[in-house]
């Protein structure tokens, strides 16, 4: 491989903070590319020209192309963190009121196959000799189902670059009707069980997993779990078959945004030596949520999507017992039925359980800092960020020992874990945390153990950089 120029990587991102974010994937796409650039990798992010993206950047037009029957402009700009950004501009498909995947009313965009198929075609074009740019990536890094088919297109086109597909959540696969196979330009022979077909439908994620040179997911434990029927979402057989190219690399967290020493959302900042100042955030959280201000009562906090994946149903089932152990402060949005169940709990336990339905970044910081104990009973968790934030904020988490939660929380050392997925086991772990908190010395030790841990992106980026290098080497060989 040519060592005289830096290794080039095209990072295909369906969402990217701070321009657009619906969850942890947006955080990863915002944070990993700059960490890779700091290691000397020439990473460029490719994403669709959503309305909010076009509003936030000052683009330069690079090229025009016709892809999948659409007139497309390729724009170049910079992300606020300085990473070069390539934008697939096709206003008819992307510049709409609503989110990256859903309309403002919360329904899937009916043309998502075309919207993300086009993103993948553009990625494959930039990796090919027909690219309108002089720059060529050595590696194309495809994130989740909306970007996964780029790996398949590259294989069919005989691209020289290597492909990596990262699974951020296997449950979202991008399933579409068979009619899209031809419309998106997949060869007919690929629509079979060894290719892009999943039970009679086109699977975007499977297209990537079948043809990528390498596959990664966002924690070592999840990489093992998805090879089993219980976690494999119907793809465990394929993932076992591809186990030799499958690895788990833990996500990092953005240490500039999530730092109790500098966090401007907090009533008072603090560090491991001034943990008594955390009390100001606790009082602020109690006030913000309408709970009685009380330093002594254990305050249990939770932030996240209100879905079965995040264990929202387990929280509802455990709520009466939790309210007997302390105050509970919950921030989240998600399934309507679960949102209503939480609102009903708050009505049943006034002054004990408080619920804020909505997305509120500032309040999320206050929960992480102000709670005594953070609750994260996810049924499964590819990596999870909130349990890392909470450890950094000296708020020991109670977690289900699965996926990234098992890899980032040390039971009895930096948090508390339970194995069986049941309300009894969950409440047992919360009880252990509450009892530990009653012993001030032991509690400080758990808080400080969490605060000392290195969850930085630079550690994760080094592992991705090694993977990129080995892939580029093989592609050139
Ligand atoms: P996910 O599976 O949703 O991606 P993660 O724990 O990996 O879960 O990341 C979720 C991200 O979204 C975190 O940054 C978290 O703080 C944020 N988040 C989730 N729900 C809310 C909310 N209601 N208000 C503010 N931030 C939220």
């Amino acid at each position: 491989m040519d060592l005289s120029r830096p290794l080039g990587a095209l990072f295909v991102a369906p969402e990217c903070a701070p321009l657009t974010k619906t969850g942890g994937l947006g955080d990863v796409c915002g944070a990993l590319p700059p960490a890779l650039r700091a290691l000397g990798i020439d990473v460029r992010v490719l994403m669709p020209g959503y309305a909010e993206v076009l509003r936030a950047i000052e683009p330069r037009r690079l090229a025009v192309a016709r892809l999948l029957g659409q007139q497309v402009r390729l724009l170049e700009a910079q992300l606020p963190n300085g990473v070069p950004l390539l934008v697939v501009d096709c206003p008819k498909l992307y510049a709409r009121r609503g989110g990256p995947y859903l309309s403002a009313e919360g329904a899937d965009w009916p043309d998502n196959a075309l919207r993300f198929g086009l993103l993948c075609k553009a990625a494959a074009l930039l990796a090919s000799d027909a690219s309108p740019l002089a720059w060529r990536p050595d590696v194309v890094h495809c994130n989740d189902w909306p970007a996964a088919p780029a790996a398949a297109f590259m294989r069919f086109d005989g691209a020289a670059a290597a492909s990596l597909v990262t699974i951020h959540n296997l449950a979202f696969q991008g399933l579409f009707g068979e009619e899209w196979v031809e419309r998106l330009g997949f060869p007919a022979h690929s629509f079979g069980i060894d290719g892009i077909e999943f039970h009679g439908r086109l699977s975007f994620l499977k297209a990537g997993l079948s043809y990528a040179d390498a596959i990664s997911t966002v924690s070592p434990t999840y990489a093992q779990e998805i090879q089993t029927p219980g976690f494999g979402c119907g793809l465990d057989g394929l993932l076992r078959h591809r186990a030799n190219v499958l690895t788990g690399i833990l996500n990092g967290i953005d240490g500039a945004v999530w730092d109790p020493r500098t966090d401007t959302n907090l009533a008072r900042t603090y560090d491991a030596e001034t943990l008594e100042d955390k009390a100001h955030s606790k009082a602020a959280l109690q006030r913000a949520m309408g709970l009685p201000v009380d330093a002594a009562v254990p305050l249990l906090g939770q932030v996240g999507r209100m879905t079965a994946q995040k264990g929202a149903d387990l929280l509802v089932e455990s709520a009466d017992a939790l309210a007997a152990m302390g105050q509970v402060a919950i921030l989240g949005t998600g399934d309507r039925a679960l949102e209503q169940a939480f609102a009903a709990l708050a009505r049943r336990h006034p002054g004990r359980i408080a619920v804020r339905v909505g997305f509120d970044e500032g309040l999320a910081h206050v929960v992480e800092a102000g709670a005594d104990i953070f609750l994260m009973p996810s049924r499964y968790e590819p990596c999870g960020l909130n349990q890392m934030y909470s450890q950094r904020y000296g708020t020991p988490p109670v977690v289900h020992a699965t996926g990234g939660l098992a890899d980032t929380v040390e039971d009895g050392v930096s948090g508390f874990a339970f194995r069986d997925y049941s309300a009894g086991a969950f409440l047992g772990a919360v009880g252990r945390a509450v009892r530990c908190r009653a012993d001030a010395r032991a509690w400080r030790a758990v808080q400080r153990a969490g605060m000392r841990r290195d969850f930085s992106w630079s550690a994760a980026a080094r592992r991705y950089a090694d993977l990129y290098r080995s892939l580029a080497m093989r592609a050139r060989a």
Side-chain angles (χ1 to χ4, degrees):
M1 135 187 204
D2 175 8
L3 294 175
S4 62
R5 65 172 178 86
L7 189 144
L10 184 68
F11 194 93
V12 190
E15 57 183 278
C16 184
L19 301 187
T20 172
K21 162 180 158 176
T22 70
L25 173 63
D27 286 326
V28 174
C29 296
L32 178 54
L36 284 163
R37 286 190 80 82
L39 297 175
I41 309 273
D42 181 7
V43 189
R44 307 186 187 194
V45 170
L46 178 74
M47 72 181 303
Y50 306 121
E52 64 270 29
V53 171
L54 299 178
R55 268 199 303 274
I57 60 174
E58 283 171 28
R60 193 167 73 84
R61 196 177 81 174
L62 282 182
V64 289
R66 208 168 163 79
L67 293 171
L68 297 178
Q70 310 296 316
Q71 198 61 28
V72 176
R73 292 193 311 161
L74 188 66
L75 308 177
E76 181 188 50
Q78 256 190 359
L79 286 163
N81 58 24
V83 172
L85 173 68
L86 299 166
V87 175
V88 183
D89 183 31
C90 183
K92 196 170 78 177
L93 296 186
Y94 303 128
R96 299 174 178 172
R97 201 177 57 85
Y101 322 109
L102 309 177
S103 68
E105 291 69 43
D108 284 330
W109 292 116
D111 54 357
N112 270 346
L114 179 60
R115 296 172 71 244
F116 294 109
L118 183 69
L119 173 70
C120 294
K121 277 282 175 196
L125 174 68
L126 293 177
S128 77
D129 287 339
S131 171
L133 309 189
W135 179 80
R136 292 281 189 288
D138 298 285
V139 176
V140 177
H141 187 167
C142 313
N143 290 283
D144 261 354
W145 72 263
F153 292 140
M154 287 165 64
R155 177 68 65 92
F156 302 137
D157 296 349
S163 59
L164 167 64
V165 169
T166 296
I167 303 166
H168 297 266
N169 190 338
L170 187 62
F172 300 100
Q173 303 187 354
L175 295 175
F176 301 99
E178 184 180 350
E179 69 276 12
W180 286 102
V181 173
E182 198 187 329
R183 284 186 67 183
L184 298 180
F186 288 104
H189 69 79
S190 67
F191 192 70
I193 187 163
D194 294 326
I196 64 178
E197 183 202 341
F198 187 76
H199 300 287
R201 307 183 75 193
L202 161 63
S203 165
F204 265 39
L205 186 62
K206 191 177 172 197
L209 300 181
S210 298
Y211 295 103
D213 294 305
I215 301 168
S216 74
T217 185
V218 289
S219 70
T221 296
Y222 193 57
Q224 295 304 315
E225 288 172 342
I226 57 178
Q227 297 178 49
T228 65
F231 291 87
C233 302
L235 292 172
D236 47 294
L238 171 59
L239 290 162
R240 282 195 300 279
H241 178 65
R242 304 226 61 202
N244 58 330
V245 297
L246 168 61
T247 53
I249 302 178
L250 266 177
N251 286 335
I253 60 175
D254 187 334
V257 175
W258 294 94
D259 185 346
R261 292 169 303 183
T262 54
D263 194 329
T264 52
N265 298 290
L266 307 191
R268 186 172 300 183
T269 56
Y270 59 89
D271 63 20
E273 303 313 315
T274 55
L275 272 165
E276 61 283 0
D277 285 341
K278 210 173 172 297
H280 296 278
S281 289
K282 180 169 179 176
L285 176 58
Q286 287 168 324
R287 271 194 296 273
M289 300 292 281
L291 292 166
V293 175
D294 177 347
V297 67
L299 175 50
L300 314 174
Q302 218 265 330
V303 180
R305 289 185 284 120
M306 289 175 175
T307 62
Q309 183 213 327
K310 295 289 175 185
D313 48 345
L314 197 72
L315 276 171
V316 171
E317 191 186 334
S318 314
D320 293 345
L322 291 173
M325 285 194 252
Q327 294 177 340
V328 185
I330 294 176
L331 165 65
T333 56
D335 296 349
R336 217 33 69 81
L338 285 165
E339 288 178 354
Q340 284 164 0
F342 277 111
L345 286 174
R347 285 196 298 275
R348 196 158 79 225
H349 297 280
R352 250 356 225 191
I353 298 185
V355 173
R356 178 79 64 84
V357 174
F359 198 95
D360 186 335
E361 183 94 30
L363 186 59
H365 287 245
V366 179
V367 176
E368 296 286 2
D372 294 303
I373 295 164
F374 193 85
L375 306 178
M376 199 149 168
S378 306
R379 185 167 271 111
Y380 71 93
E381 191 57 81
C383 178
L385 298 170
N386 281 304
Q387 83 283 7
M388 293 193 265
Y389 301 153
S390 79
Q391 288 177 83
R392 190 129 202 265
Y393 278 64
T395 306
V398 173
V399 301
H400 180 214
T402 185
L405 299 176
D407 292 332
T408 54
V409 178
E410 223 177 321
D411 185 34
V413 176
S414 65
F416 302 85
F418 62 99
R419 290 201 168 274
D420 287 350
Y421 198 73
S422 68
F426 172 47
L427 289 167
V430 178
R432 279 198 292 132
V434 169
R435 282 193 298 282
C436 179
R437 179 176 170 269
D439 177 345
R441 272 174 70 105
W443 191 245
R444 280 283 185 268
V446 176
Q447 288 179 299
R448 291 196 173 120
M451 295 178 94
R452 268 198 305 272
R453 303 200 66 157
D454 176 10
F455 294 124
S456 66
W457 269 111
S458 53
R462 276 195 295 278
R463 301 221 30 218
Y464 278 105
D466 288 345
L467 182 54
Y468 285 4
R469 283 192 199 98
S470 72
L471 281 170
M473 218 88 100
R474 262 189 284 153
R476 298 278 178 90

